[in-house]
């Protein structure tokens, strides 16, 4: 893959069940098991689903009018299935977006349904990946040749 397409994050363990996620631009966020205020991996998946479409929709509609309200709620059911494995079902991304009165607000309101469809159908990499499915490889890169710290 080229540098244009490659994406990655690094995750560092800070204590039992607590991690820091870092991107290549220096951004950081805390992740954990849900025993405190940190986001769980499932919550981050939900955030990625909603955030991806939010960016697409905001980019299109705010060129017409600055929203007076922009809220996204993402929900789903976490299924624990001993046979087929754990997963999320019934994923729903709900937008509540309002625009000011007037011609610019009317243009933004008119663009909203189309931008939601376009994001869902082709633009949002996150929801497209979830819906289409893609294999995930797990690689053990542990250095088994060293004895570790002495």
């Amino acid at each position: 893959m080229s540098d244009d397409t490659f994406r990655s994050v690094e995750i560092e363990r800070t204590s039992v069940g607590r991690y820091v996620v870092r991107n290549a631009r220096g951004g950081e966020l805390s992740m954990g098991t849900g025993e405190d205020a940190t986001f769980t991996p499932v919550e981050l998946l939900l955030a990625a689903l909603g955030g991806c479409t939010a960016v697409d929709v905001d980019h299109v509609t705010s060129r017409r009018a600055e929203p007076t309200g922009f809220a996204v709620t993402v929900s789903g059911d976490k299924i624990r299935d001993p046979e087929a494995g754990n997963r999320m079902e019934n994923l729903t991304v709900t937008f509540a977006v309002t625009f000011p009165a007037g011609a610019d607000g009317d243009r933004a309101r008119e663009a909203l349904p189309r931008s939601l469809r376009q994001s869902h159908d082709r633009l949002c990499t996150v929801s497209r990946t979830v819906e289409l499915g893609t294999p995930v490889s797990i690689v053990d890169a542990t250095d088994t040749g060293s004895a570790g710290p002495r």
Side-chain angles (χ1 to χ4, degrees):
M1 291 283 156
S2 72
D3 287 341
D4 292 4
T5 62
F6 183 76
R7 303 291 187 273
S8 71
V9 296
E10 292 186 5
I11 301 171
E12 178 184 351
R13 179 185 183 272
T14 57
S15 64
V16 175
R18 293 203 39 118
Y19 311 89
V20 173
V21 182
R22 293 186 181 93
N23 64 25
R25 296 174 309 284
E28 294 185 354
L29 62 86
S30 297
M31 180 176 67
T33 59
E35 295 175 12
D36 58 14
T38 58
F39 285 91
T40 67
V42 170
E43 291 166 337
L44 291 173
L45 173 66
L46 296 175
L49 280 168
C52 186
T53 297
V55 168
D56 293 338
V57 169
D58 192 27
H59 182 73
V60 170
T61 59
S62 66
R63 281 188 277 159
R64 289 151 177 85
E66 183 66 21
T68 54
F70 194 108
V72 183
T73 302
V74 187
S75 61
D77 298 309
K78 184 175 177 181
I79 305 301
R80 296 183 186 277
D81 184 339
E83 292 179 25
N86 298 346
R87 64 190 176 280
M88 292 295 294
E89 290 185 347
N90 305 315
L91 295 170
T92 304
V93 182
T94 304
F95 279 77
V97 184
T98 55
F99 298 98
D104 289 345
D106 291 343
R107 283 192 289 280
R109 274 185 289 285
E110 184 180 305
L112 180 62
R114 185 179 70 252
S115 65
L116 288 166
R117 277 192 314 277
Q118 287 178 334
S119 180
H120 176 267
D121 294 346
R122 73 180 174 87
L123 297 175
C124 175
T125 304
V126 178
S127 64
R128 301 302 310 142
T129 301
V130 169
E131 285 200 333
L132 295 174
T134 190
V136 176
S137 301
I138 306 295
V139 177
D140 182 354
T142 306
D143 181 5
T144 58
S146 71
R150 296 181 191 242

